[in-house]
Amino acid sequence: MTLPADCETDAARLRETMAKSLAEDGVLDDPTWRQAVQTVPRHRFVPGFYLPADERDGQGLTIWEPVTAELDYDRWLAATYSDTTLITQFDGEEPDWKNPAVRHGGAPTSSSTLPSLVLRMWADADVQEGHTVLEIGTGTGYSTALACERLGSADVTSIEIDGRRLQQAASALYGCGYTPTLAVADGLYGYWPEAAFDRIVAACSFRAVPPALLAQTRPGGKILLTLSGWLYGYARVLLTVTEDGTAEGQLLGGTVSFMSARTHAAPVFGNPTHWAAGLPDTSRSTRHSPGRITAATAEAFHLRFLAQSAVPDAQMTTVGEVVHLVDIVTGSATTLTPGDGAWQVREGGPVKLWKRIERVLDAYDAAGRPGPKTFTLHVYDGGQHLRHEQMPGLPLPGS
């Protein structure tokens, strides 16, 4: 990538502006992390990325426009030093940034996470001088570089499942003078050669806490990760590992979502009309509408995670006005159809999916609608459970 002669000067000015803005927003309280933001050249890690166009295409798909220095230098540099997540890969396909093409739709599989979230993760994990750190999900390497700048390269290990992604990140890191331990590895299994760690921080989400991460964390060490699932409900949790190898911790507040670890991604479930065809003709009125877990609110974001914990193998899609829930593990299916004053639900299969979700919503309302920070996740050999003192009967098997 050939850059204008004054690029480094422009980038330094924009880094200073970004650091000042993040500090004003309360993200950069620690002067050492602020210095890292002002030092690490993010533009070296994102030679190209995609930004969404203002309008969708004729099929309703998002139009993703490639952005590089060659195509539009000012737009590329301004976006790079904004507090924005920059999508760098779709569907596991590595772009040709010398001849990039506009994309229509697709599932993002790699990105440079917005700086404020990266910094919040390192802060939430309570990363301190002298800690050995495992980062899961190197991505572009920008977050790795910040950790190296703050802690020193010798104490940072970063793993990435995509070898092409890691190769590019390694080139950028080494080109900037950072020399962390890097490896192509599946975050589900951590990285034994460098264990044990004081902190493990994951930049992807998991359906359940991987047991290997507990085994690779020193007693008293902490694991910060995002739990997700096939309903795309998310919750962040900070776990502290005990002497006996178990762990527990509270859910954290906020509405953060990460791409799934590739081995935990949702499977394709087929045509929802095929699933609906096998349902009984009889229906009942729902006690709760699907909007309780689909609305664009912080509460709905939290409730979707709780609902997902009760039906961990369910997936959801909407066709027209009909909401479909399908479970490819048990063969269960549900449809929710809007009616006069109430939604109508039809359910079939061994698991009554919406009935389970309604039980969660009932318990949640009865407990006074408690927020994420009032829930504790317990992880032990063979499983994990989410608990709340005011919801003792809540069926939330977190695995």
Side-chain angles (χ1 to χ4, degrees), residues 121-122 124-127 132-136 187 190 196-204 206 208-227 235-242 245-252 377 379 384:
M121 289 168 60
W122 292 127
D124 286 344
D126 190 27
V127 173
T132 55
V133 173
L134 172 64
E135 177 190 42
I136 298 174
F197 301 99
D198 296 300
R199 298 290 185 270
I200 295 180
V201 178
C204 60
F206 296 96
V209 180
L213 301 189
L214 271 64
Q216 293 175 30
T217 304
R218 290 192 178 95
K222 297 180 180 181
I223 302 170
L224 177 69
L225 50 73
T226 300
L227 295 173
R236 290 193 312 145
V237 63
L238 180 63
L239 298 166
T240 300
V241 178
T242 64
T246 62
E248 70 174 45
Q250 291 181 320
L251 300 188
L252 304 180
L377 184 70
V379 187
Q384 63 182 43

Side-chain angles (χ1 to χ4, degrees), residues 57-140:
D57 68 10
Q59 295 180 309
L61 298 175
T62 300
I63 300 173
W64 293 96
E65 299 174 339
V67 181
T68 66
E70 288 78 6
L71 290 172
D72 189 334
Y73 171 75
D74 290 336
R75 186 187 189 195
W76 168 75
L77 199 59
T80 296
Y81 288 106
S82 66
D83 192 28
T84 304
T85 291
L86 305 173
I87 305 299
T88 55
Q89 186 192 76
F90 287 90
D91 303 318
E93 300 172 0
E94 197 64 30
D96 177 6
W97 291 118
K98 294 182 180 178
N99 298 287
V102 172
R103 291 192 61 101
H104 292 249
T109 47
S110 189
S111 68
S112 177
T113 303
L114 68 160
S116 62
L117 178 52
V118 171
L119 293 163
R120 181 162 48 145
M121 289 168 60
W122 292 127
D124 286 344
D126 190 27
V127 173
Q128 301 291 337
E129 196 80 26
H131 283 164
T132 55
V133 173
L134 172 64
E135 177 190 42
I136 298 174
T138 311
T140 65

Side-chain angles (χ1 to χ4, degrees), residues 14 87 109 117 121 123 169 181 185 200 220 249 263 268 274 286 325 349 352 385:
L14 290 172
I87 305 299
T109 47
L117 178 52
M121 289 168 60
T181 298
I200 295 180
T263 47
V268 177
H274 296 167
T286 64
L325 288 166
K352 301 302 182 278
H385 281 82

